């Protein structure tokens, strides 16, 4: 049985093709990264998997069931999301932000068990000093870390991350990569978008090269991340970048 | 300020303002008389039973309605400056009232004027939905812009009609200025029938409202049915604003001030904000009505003038302040 299958996805917006003929099969516990130039359709693909966007053609299957046949809460128990930019329009405590990870499980009112789950994860990750602070005023690194911790609270099977390391300093990049490594070892499936090859090497089992909305190549990182493939992907000679990355 | 201290202060102030509002007027009542009335209302003074008490209680309930409507508006629009008036609901209500005055429909039955204001509030909400649907997608920004445009359109037509019809002018100006001087228990009953289920419904959706406040994409990823929630928010806002206009006419800024004040202390947590909005919104409008009765006694200043006097500077303050917790 296929764990997660993205089949024949086609998506366009205002007559512009964004994604076409996207076919991917992902195994349980696998960490897969989508890599490509800006505007290649990476975030769109993530949003289709999350059901934030609906494809014009094609389907997404989880354990061979079409995810659009599930209701929103069931989908949220399968997929959790760490967006590229974390929005906070209003002040709220970090604890209140974290407890929203229990939204798919809550009917009406938050229960004591939900609060205990959040408190346990706060203790486990030693972020008690942040729980009463205004989430809006945390650093970008702290926000990304807290949002990643929220995926534990959400207890999803698949974690989806869109450029989680953008705007982060070295300290928080390392913290998040270490946490992702632990998530991977725990058996959860990870679908991510990264821009740097170092992170991809550290965390990914396979890489999808996406160019102009189409899959160029899929495969294991050392087979795919070659000078030839990257030159083709970015249409630039990237030999020097590869040298620096090593 | 400590949150528990704040809640204590507003509860004590509420009791104080309630007793003062019941006491003050053309006929003054002692504390003893008021408590005696509250224990057995039917044995109390006719003025207290039929005029004073309905007035005070309705000002509290309308304040509560407008505050919750304001809170939900800010949740829907993801904008602390959102307010039911930006929907054009009050302008829609006023527009229907002006039309009814112009054609003499206000003479059809006893509560025609109030009924048309309520109908206008619902109509304005429906039009906003239609306009924002034209693009095929409801976004908070589409709704906000549609509401502002509608507000201007309704206001301009209302103004034209009031200039054209001299009799309309005389009667509609008083309506526009609003108040609780014509309140009765029938209006209060209708207000309660709408308000209580709306509060219960809002409380049941409290977590979903919190999640929605992170933005649509994150809300969807957390299992929120965003399309349904937007309709729920819009419907509740229209219902609460509409019933407020029906009972007491156009009153501004309560929906803007109260949620912002509370969020600065309690953060975004609808389970706390909804009941606190009831208390603080009720207190604010009850106090405004009391000030309106007191300041130029025996002449009464319409309550909307008092709330505008308080609210307009607050609105300007919000435009410039940083968000704090």
């Amino acid at each position: 049985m296929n764990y997660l299958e993205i089949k024949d996805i086609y998506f366009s917006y205002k007559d512009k093709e964004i994604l076409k003929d996207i076919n991917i099969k992902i195994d349980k516990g696998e960490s897969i990264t989508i890599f490509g130039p800006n505007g290649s359709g990476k975030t769109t693909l993530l949003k289709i998997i999350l059901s934030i966007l609906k494809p014009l053609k094609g389907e997404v299957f989880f354990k061979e069931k079409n995810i659009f046949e599930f209701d929103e809460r069931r989908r949220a128990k399968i997929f959790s999301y760490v967006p590229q930019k974390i929005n906070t329009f209003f002040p709220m405590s970090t604890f209140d932000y974290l407890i929203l990870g229990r939204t798919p499980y809550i009917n009406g009112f938050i229960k004591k068990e939900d609060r205990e789950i959040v408190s346990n994860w706060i203790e486990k990750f030693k972020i008690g000093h942040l729980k009463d602070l205004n989430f809006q005023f945390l650093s970008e690194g702290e926000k990304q870390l807290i949002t990643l911790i929220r995926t534990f609270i959400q207890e999803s099977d698949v974690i989806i991350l869109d450029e989680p390391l953008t705007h982060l300093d070295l300290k928080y990049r390392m913290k998040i990569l270490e946490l992702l490594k632990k998530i991977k070892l725990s058996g959860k499936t990870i679908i991510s978008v990264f821009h740097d090859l170092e992170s991809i090497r550290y965390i990914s089992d396979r890489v999808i090269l996406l160019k102009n909305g189409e899959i160029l190549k899929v495969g294991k990182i050392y087979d795919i991340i070659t000078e030839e493939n990257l030159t083709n992907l970015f249409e630039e000679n990237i030999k020097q970048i590869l040298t620096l990355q090593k | 300020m400590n949150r528990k201290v704040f809640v204590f202060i507003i509860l004590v102030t509420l009791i104080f303002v309630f007793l003062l509002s019941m006491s003050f007027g053309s006929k003054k009542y002692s504390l003893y008389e008021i408590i005696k009335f509250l224990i057995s209302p039917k044995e109390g003074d006719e003025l207290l039973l039929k005029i004073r008490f309905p007035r005070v209680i309705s000002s509290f309930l309308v304040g509560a309605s407008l505050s919750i409507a304001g809170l939900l508006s800010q949740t829907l629009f993801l904008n602390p400056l959102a307010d039911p008036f930006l929907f054009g609901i009050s302008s829609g209500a006023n527009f229907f009232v002006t039309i009814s005055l112009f054609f003499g429909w206000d003479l059809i039955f006893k509560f025609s004027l109030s009924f048309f204001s309520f109908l206008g509030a619902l109509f304005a909400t429906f039009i906003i939905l239609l306009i924002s649907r034209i693009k095929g997608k409801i976004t908070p920004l589409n709704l906000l812009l549609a509401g502002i445009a509608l507000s201007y359109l309704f206001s301009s037509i209302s103004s034209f009609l009031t200039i054209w019809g001299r009799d309309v002018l005389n009667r509609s100006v008083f309506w526009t200025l609003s108040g609780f001087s014509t309140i009765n228990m029938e209006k209060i009953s209708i207000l309660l029938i709408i308000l209580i289920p709306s509060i219960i419904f809002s409380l049941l959706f409290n977590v979903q409202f919190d999640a929605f406040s992170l933005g649509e994409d994150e809300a969807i990823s957390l299992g929120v049915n965003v399309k349904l929630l937007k309709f729920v928010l819009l419907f509740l806002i229209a219902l609460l604003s509409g019933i407020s206009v029906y009972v007491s006419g156009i009153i501004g800024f309560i929906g803007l001030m109260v949620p912002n004040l509370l969020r600065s202390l309690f953060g975004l947590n609808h389970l706390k904000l909804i009941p606190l909005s009831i208390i603080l919104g009720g207190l604010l409008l009850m106090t405004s009505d009391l000030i309106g009765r007191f300041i130029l006694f025996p002449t009464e200043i319409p309550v909307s003038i008092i709330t505008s006097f308080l609210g307009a500077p607050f609105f300007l303050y919000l435009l410039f302040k940083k968000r704090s917790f």
Side-chain angles (χ1 to χ4, degrees):
Chain A
M1 177 172 75
N2 289 318
Y3 187 69
L4 184 61
E5 186 180 359
I6 297 149
K7 196 172 175 187
D8 299 326
I9 295 291
Y10 176 86
F11 186 86
S12 72
Y13 181 69
K14 288 185 179 176
D15 297 326
K16 189 189 170 191
E17 286 181 330
I18 309 290
L19 293 168
K20 43 189 175 183
D21 298 322
I22 303 294
N23 285 280
I24 309 163
K25 287 179 187 175
I26 302 169
D27 296 324
K28 187 178 186 323
E30 191 176 10
S31 174
I32 195 157
T33 295
I34 305 165
F35 184 70
N38 291 337
S40 56
K42 304 185 294 296
T43 298
T44 304
L45 181 55
L46 293 185
K47 287 187 175 184
I48 285 171
I49 298 168
L50 284 159
S51 313
I52 293 169
L53 295 172
K54 201 164 180 187
L56 293 170
K57 285 179 201 170
E59 289 151 310
V60 178
F61 295 93
F62 178 73
K63 294 183 182 174
E64 299 189 347
K65 282 187 183 156
N66 189 329
I67 62 164
F68 280 103
E69 287 171 20
F70 297 133
D71 66 23
E72 302 76 27
R73 286 151 70 94
R74 177 75 185 102
R75 282 200 291 265
K77 291 173 186 175
I78 300 168
F79 302 105
S80 59
Y81 180 43
V82 180
Q84 185 182 355
K85 187 165 166 35
I86 293 161
N87 297 312
T88 44
F89 300 94
F90 303 104
M92 68 191 310
S93 71
T94 301
F95 188 92
D96 284 344
Y97 180 82
L98 283 168
I99 209 160
L100 292 179
R102 300 300 298 164
T103 306
Y105 305 93
I106 293 170
N107 284 314
F109 302 99
I110 296 169
K111 293 192 177 69
K112 190 181 165 192
E113 297 83 61
D114 296 309
R115 293 187 189 281
E116 279 171 4
I117 288 168
V118 176
S119 296
N120 289 340
W121 283 112
I122 286 173
E123 203 180 305
K124 194 163 181 176
F125 284 108
K126 296 183 177 51
I127 52 164
H129 60 290
L130 298 176
K131 74 178 175 73
D132 293 323
L133 298 183
N134 184 356
F135 184 79
Q136 275 186 321
F137 293 159
L138 299 184
S139 68
E140 289 305 315
E142 285 169 331
K143 285 180 184 173
Q144 285 285 353
L145 190 66
I146 299 291
T147 308
L148 191 53
I149 291 169
R150 198 181 68 190
T151 65
F152 285 86
I153 292 165
Q154 199 170 335
E155 296 177 4
S156 62
D157 300 297
V158 182
I159 296 171
I160 295 176
L161 306 113
D162 192 355
E163 299 180 42
L165 305 181
T166 310
H167 308 304
L168 300 191
D169 63 23
L170 189 62
K171 172 185 161 189
Y172 278 99
R173 286 165 74 91
M174 292 315 303
K175 275 191 179 200
I176 285 168
L177 283 172
E178 283 302 322
L179 188 49
L180 285 173
K181 195 88 179 177
K182 284 180 187 169
I183 291 171
K184 188 175 166 336
L185 291 169
S186 73
K188 287 197 190 279
T189 307
I190 300 172
I191 304 171
S192 56
V193 168
F194 284 106
H195 273 313
D196 68 295
L197 297 174
E198 193 179 304
S199 302
I200 295 172
R201 283 199 187 98
Y202 193 72
I203 206 74
S204 309
D205 297 319
R206 281 195 295 158
V207 180
I208 299 165
L209 300 183
L210 198 67
K211 182 183 176 183
N212 296 328
E214 287 183 273
I215 294 177
L216 196 66
K217 293 256 187 221
V218 185
K220 294 215 180 282
I221 184 162
Y222 290 105
D223 297 331
I224 294 297
I225 305 295
T226 63
E227 187 185 326
E228 184 191 344
N229 285 338
L230 293 182
T231 303
N232 191 0
L233 188 67
F234 290 98
E235 294 175 2
E236 290 280 341
N237 189 331
I238 46 80
K239 186 175 181 178
Q240 270 189 303
I241 297 168
L242 269 182
T243 311
L244 279 170
Q245 290 278 351
K246 284 176 188 168
Chain B
M1 181 190 280
N2 183 282
R3 289 169 212 166
K4 285 180 183 169
V5 169
F6 177 80
V7 174
F8 177 75
I9 288 172
I10 61 169
L11 284 171
V12 167
T13 310
L14 180 67
I15 295 166
F16 175 73
V17 171
F18 173 76
L19 292 171
L20 201 59
S21 298
M22 288 289 285
S23 165
F24 178 81
S26 53
K27 185 179 175 185
K28 291 176 179 51
Y29 294 95
S30 67
L31 181 64
Y32 170 75
E33 284 171 308
I34 294 165
I35 292 170
K36 193 177 161 191
F37 164 77
L38 292 171
I39 294 167
S40 34
K42 286 182 181 169
E43 288 172 26
D45 195 293
E46 188 103 340
L47 178 75
L48 267 179
L49 181 66
K50 289 191 174 168
I51 294 172
R52 195 70 57 81
F53 180 71
R55 179 174 191 139
V56 172
I57 214 73
S58 62
S59 65
F60 177 83
L61 293 173
V62 169
S65 292
L66 289 172
S67 299
I68 298 172
L71 172 66
L72 299 183
S73 299
Q74 288 156 28
T75 301
L76 175 63
F77 289 146
L78 302 176
N79 187 332
L81 297 177
D83 177 83
F85 294 97
L86 294 174
F87 276 91
I89 288 176
S90 298
S91 302
N94 187 49
F95 172 61
F96 266 54
V97 163
T98 310
I99 292 271
S100 69
L101 288 169
F102 189 81
F103 290 107
W105 295 338
D106 57 310
L107 303 169
I108 295 171
F109 61 95
K110 195 177 175 185
F111 297 111
S112 291
L113 215 59
S114 304
F115 173 74
F116 280 111
S117 76
F118 181 69
L119 208 64
L122 286 178
F123 176 72
T125 312
F126 180 68
I127 293 292
I128 293 165
L129 266 175
L130 272 184
I131 290 170
S132 56
R133 272 289 194 197
I134 288 169
K135 285 190 177 183
K137 184 180 163 187
I138 301 175
T139 67
L141 184 60
N142 282 355
L143 283 166
L144 192 61
L145 291 172
I148 291 169
L150 207 62
S151 186
Y152 276 108
L153 180 65
F154 283 146
S155 297
S156 58
I157 299 172
S158 299
S159 299
F160 175 75
L161 289 174
T162 53
I163 292 166
W164 192 5
R166 204 176 298 167
D167 184 45
V168 172
L169 173 69
N170 292 335
R171 288 183 291 156
S172 75
V173 165
F174 185 76
W175 164 263
T176 308
L177 291 174
S178 75
F180 299 98
S181 51
T182 58
I183 202 73
N184 52 49
M185 288 311 289
E186 191 176 309
K187 280 190 180 179
I188 292 172
S189 302
I190 297 168
L191 178 56
L192 284 168
I193 287 167
I194 300 288
L195 181 59
I196 292 171
S198 298
I199 291 169
I200 294 168
F201 211 63
S202 300
L203 286 169
L204 288 173
F205 275 88
N206 77 94
V207 174
Q208 306 230 355
F209 290 158
D210 287 349
F212 185 84
S213 303
L214 299 178
E216 282 188 41
D217 289 355
E218 268 195 78
I220 292 170
S221 76
L222 290 169
V224 175
N225 184 334
V226 159
K227 278 185 189 166
L228 173 67
L229 201 73
K230 281 184 200 170
F231 275 104
V232 166
L233 280 165
L234 201 65
F235 185 75
L236 284 170
I237 292 160
L239 208 56
L240 290 165
S241 305
I243 195 62
S244 301
V245 173
Y246 168 76
V247 168
S248 59
I250 302 170
I251 298 172
F253 294 105
I254 298 289
L256 181 73
M257 288 191 281
V258 171
N260 277 285
L261 279 166
L262 290 172
R263 257 199 312 269
S264 67
L265 271 174
F266 296 89
L268 180 81
N269 184 318
H270 284 80
L271 189 63
K272 290 178 188 168
L273 292 176
I274 291 165
L276 286 169
S277 294
I278 294 167
I279 299 167
L280 187 59
L283 170 60
L284 200 57
L285 196 58
M286 199 162 51
T287 308
S288 300
D289 187 52
L290 177 63
I291 293 171
R293 285 191 283 139
F294 172 81
I295 208 160
L296 287 179
F297 183 79
T299 302
E300 197 177 299
I301 300 173
V303 68
S304 59
I305 289 178
I306 306 297
T307 59
S308 297
F309 190 73
L310 295 170
F314 185 84
F315 181 70
L316 288 170
Y317 164 71
L318 276 184
L319 286 176
F320 294 107
K321 96 171 181 74
K322 287 180 186 177
R323 285 182 202 152
S324 59
F325 186 47

